[in-house]
Amino acid sequence: CGSMKMKTKNDMYDLPYLAELFEALRRGRHITMRDGDMFHALKKHEARFKTLFEKLGFKLIHHQRDFFYFHDRSNFTDTSARMAVFMFIMVEWLADRGEPVEETILTHRFNLNELPHLDSERYQTYMNEAGVTSPEDLANILRSMERLGFARRRNTESFGFEPPVYRFLDLCMDMAARSGEDASEKPETDQPEEPQ
């Protein structure tokens, strides 16, 4: 009976790509279908991976858009903040142009030189507050997004977003919904005047 119990306990650690997956997820990477065998192993043994990672103090999330990541609210780094500001500007820029935001972000190939982040004074202010002041800083954000699975380089000058970008899109939609609720709850006299 003791050997049976020991075998079951050892089986918990006998998962394909365990070391690679743990290291990637721990570093903030999002695992998608593009990760091939690692993704399929995670999907096939999801419950076992979740149990093991929980014992190690990590919460594995399987997003409804079919990618995996470790949930960690306590680790919002400067890089995370820069990526969030980057995406908020992308969403606003596309919406202002009348583009279908979600569809465009997931299907369009963007060129680095056409990004709006350093063009307008308003966007420059947001980026400066996040510590981004040059095209090289902007390129560094994209490299971080690629490393973490949010974006993928198509060539040296263009990139596309990957499904994990939904984490930022969800955040943008939540913020827009909350600001809409706040605006509708205030009496009309409390609303600020439109800027001239």
Side-chain angles (χ1 to χ4, degrees):
C1 185
S3 64
M4 177 80 159
K5 196 171 196 177
M6 184 62 104
K7 185 177 188 305
T8 304
K9 189 172 184 177
N10 285 340
D11 284 349
M12 177 186 285
Y13 302 104
D14 186 24
L15 288 163
Y17 302 100
L18 175 59
E20 297 95 325
L21 281 165
F22 179 72
E23 188 60 22
L25 290 163
R26 188 185 65 77
R27 291 178 179 263
R29 177 134 180 94
H30 294 67
I31 306 298
T32 69
M33 204 175 295
R34 282 197 193 279
D35 293 298
D37 291 343
M38 287 198 332
F39 171 80
H40 294 296
L42 197 50
K43 195 159 181 170
K44 181 177 180 180
H45 304 286
E46 182 177 343
R48 288 175 60 202
F49 275 110
K50 275 187 176 182
T51 300
L52 176 58
F53 291 150
E54 276 179 25
K55 289 181 184 298
L56 298 171
F58 295 89
K59 184 174 181 182
L60 179 67
I61 302 294
H62 185 180
H63 192 276
Q64 64 186 1
R65 300 289 180 169
D66 213 18
F67 60 86
F68 294 89
Y69 64 96
F70 277 163
H71 179 70
D72 184 4
R73 284 187 184 268
S74 66
N75 192 20
F76 197 74
T77 63
D78 289 343
T79 301
S80 302
R82 287 183 190 107
M83 290 187 298
V85 171
F86 178 92
M87 286 309 302
F88 292 144
I89 289 173
M90 286 296 295
V91 167
E92 184 178 291
W93 177 62
L94 291 171
D96 287 350
R97 290 173 34 165
E99 303 266 357
V101 173
E102 183 179 340
E103 179 185 332
T104 303
I105 281 182
L106 287 167
T107 62
H108 188 71
R109 181 180 290 188
F110 296 93
N111 286 322
L112 289 171
N113 61 5
E114 72 182 12
L115 294 176
H117 299 76
L118 300 174
D119 287 345
S120 79
E121 188 177 326
R122 189 162 130 249
Y123 291 158
Q124 280 180 358
T125 300
Y126 297 151
M127 296 308 290
N128 288 342
E129 288 174 4
V132 177
T133 59
S134 70
E136 183 56 32
D137 292 339
L138 205 57
N140 285 337
I141 291 174
L142 285 169
R143 280 191 279 278
S144 294
M145 293 185 84
E146 185 174 21
R147 182 175 44 82
L148 298 172
F150 295 112
R152 186 166 65 97
R153 273 300 163 138
R154 308 293 183 184
N155 57 46
T156 56
E157 290 301 316
S158 69
F159 69 95
F161 290 106
E162 295 292 311
V165 82
Y166 268 104
R167 290 194 64 199
F168 290 110
L169 293 179
D170 293 345
L171 189 59
C172 290
M173 287 185 246
D174 287 348
M175 288 179 68
R178 271 189 267 148
S179 74
E181 288 170 10
D182 291 347
S184 67
E185 289 174 8
K186 291 182 181 177
E188 284 185 32
T189 55
D190 289 349
Q191 291 181 0
E193 291 181 14
E194 288 292 317
Q196 299 292 324

